[in-house]
Amino acid sequence: MKQWTSEIEIDAPIEQVWSYFDGSLEQMQKIMPQVVENKPVKITEEFVGSIYRQKYKEGKRTEEYDVHTLEYLNTPNEKKVKIGFTLANYFEITAYYELFRLDHQKTRFRYTATNKALKWFIKLFMIFANEKVVVKFLEKVKTVAESEAREL
């Protein structure tokens, strides 16, 4: 299994950054445009255990999978959500988004991704996997959040 963690400081309020992870499909698509559907299958009162059926479009191919909420915290100064899903029966993936309020206009965003190959031949390709995707995602969230914060 591979794991990558990276963090970035964002000049935007924590609630605004949180809206991309805990809001509507429209908000989510601002940072993850390939997610074309995110429908609730099972919603629990405490959010942990909730399941969403998600569709992800890459080129002409669309993958569908169930996203499980594994961890959830929503307080004024700290917000966390950890999700897990199996992609195409090849990868078991988790994404852990952690937000920390630095002040009313600044947020620290930490992202941890894990990727476990489920087939032996996929494990060979995992040797070349690196944290470039994680860093690129952090930068995308920062760019979107800061540009929207300037509009407010």
Side-chain angles (χ1 to χ4, degrees), residues 4-98:
W4 303 273
T5 299
S6 196
E7 61 182 60
I8 198 165
E9 201 170 287
I10 300 174
D11 290 318
I14 192 170
E15 292 297 337
Q16 182 188 340
V17 181
W18 182 240
S19 74
Y20 306 124
F21 302 100
D22 195 45
S24 65
L25 174 64
E26 184 184 356
Q27 281 297 95
M28 184 187 291
Q29 286 178 323
K30 291 176 181 179
I31 59 168
M32 297 180 240
Q34 304 92 330
V35 175
V36 294
E37 195 173 285
N38 190 47
K39 288 186 176 173
V41 173
K42 173 187 166 192
I43 303 298
T44 65
E45 206 173 295
E46 62 281 349
F47 298 103
V48 173
S50 293
I51 301 169
Y52 291 84
R53 174 115 348 109
Q54 210 169 76
K55 285 187 182 174
Y56 182 92
K57 189 170 176 132
E58 188 74 50
K60 292 181 180 181
R61 210 171 84 220
T62 302
E63 290 287 341
E64 185 175 280
Y65 45 86
D66 287 346
V67 176
H68 298 258
T69 305
L70 306 171
E71 203 173 303
Y72 186 89
L73 175 71
N74 185 354
T75 67
N77 294 318
E78 198 174 338
K79 299 177 184 304
K80 299 178 181 185
V81 65
K82 183 176 186 178
I83 59 167
F85 58 96
T86 300
L87 186 59
N89 292 319
Y90 288 125
F91 298 102
E92 205 170 83
I93 297 169
T94 66
Y96 190 26
Y97 310 111
E98 299 173 275

Side-chain angles (χ1 to χ4, degrees), residues 138-150:
L138 287 172
E139 290 168 355
K140 171 88 172 173
V141 173
K142 178 179 173 72
T143 300
V144 170
E146 289 181 353
S147 76
E148 288 195 342
R150 282 192 294 272

